[in-house]
Amino acid sequence: RPIGDLANAAASVQALQLDPPPMVQRSRLTELDNAANAFNSMIAGLKWFEVYVPRTLVRSLLTEGDDGATASAERDVSVLFTDIRSFTTRVESMEAADTADFLNDHFSLVAARVEEEGGTVDKYIGDSVMAFWGAPYPVADYALRACRAALKIRDAVAQANDAFASQGVPILKMGIGIHCGPVLAGNIGAPGRVNYTLVGDTVNLAQRLEQLTKPLALPDDQVTILVSKDVAEAVGGSVEIEALGTHKIRGREATIEVFRLI
């Protein structure tokens, strides 16, 4: 029975099913007790590990079992950036612990909607989130998935704002930018600290689109979602889009066509 329990717990670890953690019961037999102690200590370490590594990415790699999937290569992806408006003003009177709680709740809201659409949260940058679709494995509808995630984030923020308003707390306003195209994707970094991440102009333009949401936001917008022409063409009529004409993007000589998700 103890060996069977250990095998079942190991199978849970293989599938990254760590919530609740698959702990192994102690045994009167020294060898089995040592194995149980070692396994339970490993679970404690893995719980910390999964906090710092994108679970959706690791699960995907485990499922596919492709050792070369994380090698740097050009891939077609969609990239999404979010940002909270007037974040500094909002939290300047908060205690540090309250600011951390606010950010953690907000990031949980965003990450859940990204993962619902099969995306990966690449990183948190201050009060911003970067997420992507289409790597390490191809996804045919990567642009549509990013748009659906953005719309789900908008709906979730609207619900959160209802609660804020009832508590007399200022509502949250956000900007989201989405672009799709080729990137360099793979394990990038120094030997002791490597991230699976994206590099390229597609990433830069997605971030620039998010920054453009501030001047292009409507007065009543709680969440403004801007997408590039590439995204608009990729999703076709699957989501409602409004053309906003051409706009100058910081760091680019030419203007680009910008669209708003309605």
Side-chain angles (χ1 to χ4, degrees), residues 121-134:
V121 172
D122 182 276
K123 58 176 67 74
Y124 302 106
I125 313 165
D127 59 302
S128 302
V129 178
M130 173 185 165
F132 62 84
W133 288 258

Side-chain angles (χ1 to χ4, degrees), residues 111-126:
R113 276 68 192 181
V114 167
E115 292 178 1
E116 282 176 14
E117 291 298 331
T120 298
V121 172
D122 182 276
K123 58 176 67 74
Y124 302 106
I125 313 165

Side-chain angles (χ1 to χ4, degrees), residues 20 62 130 139 161 218 261:
L62 285 173
M130 173 185 165
V139 178
N161 280 338
L218 297 174
L261 290 195

Side-chain angles (χ1 to χ4, degrees), residues 150-245:
L151 293 171
K152 287 182 177 181
I153 292 169
R154 186 174 69 185
D155 291 342
V157 168
Q159 291 182 7
N161 280 338
D162 288 342
F164 288 144
S166 67
Q167 299 164 10
V169 177
I171 65 171
L172 182 70
K173 292 195 173 186
M174 287 179 61
I176 300 177
I178 305 171
H179 181 47
C180 63
V183 298
L184 176 65
N187 285 336
I188 297 174
R193 185 67 172 87
V194 175
N195 285 334
Y196 185 90
T197 190
L198 313 180
V199 177
D201 188 58
T202 296
V203 177
N204 297 334
L205 185 51
Q207 189 172 33
R208 296 291 184 264
L209 282 166
E210 181 281 310
Q211 294 169 352
L212 196 61
T213 61
K214 189 171 184 178
L216 294 183
L218 297 174
D220 295 331
D221 275 354
Q222 294 184 6
V223 178
T224 303
I225 307 170
L226 299 184
V227 304
S228 64
K229 180 180 179 181
D230 299 271
V231 173
E233 291 178 344
V235 300
S238 299
V239 294
E240 290 189 74
I241 294 178
E242 174 189 6
L244 299 181

Side-chain angles (χ1 to χ4, degrees), residues 85-103:
R85 294 283 166 260
S86 303
F87 173 73
T88 302
T89 302
R90 187 183 186 92
V91 302
E92 63 184 356
S93 61
M94 287 185 180
E95 297 291 337
D98 293 333
T99 300
D101 288 342
F102 169 75
L103 280 175

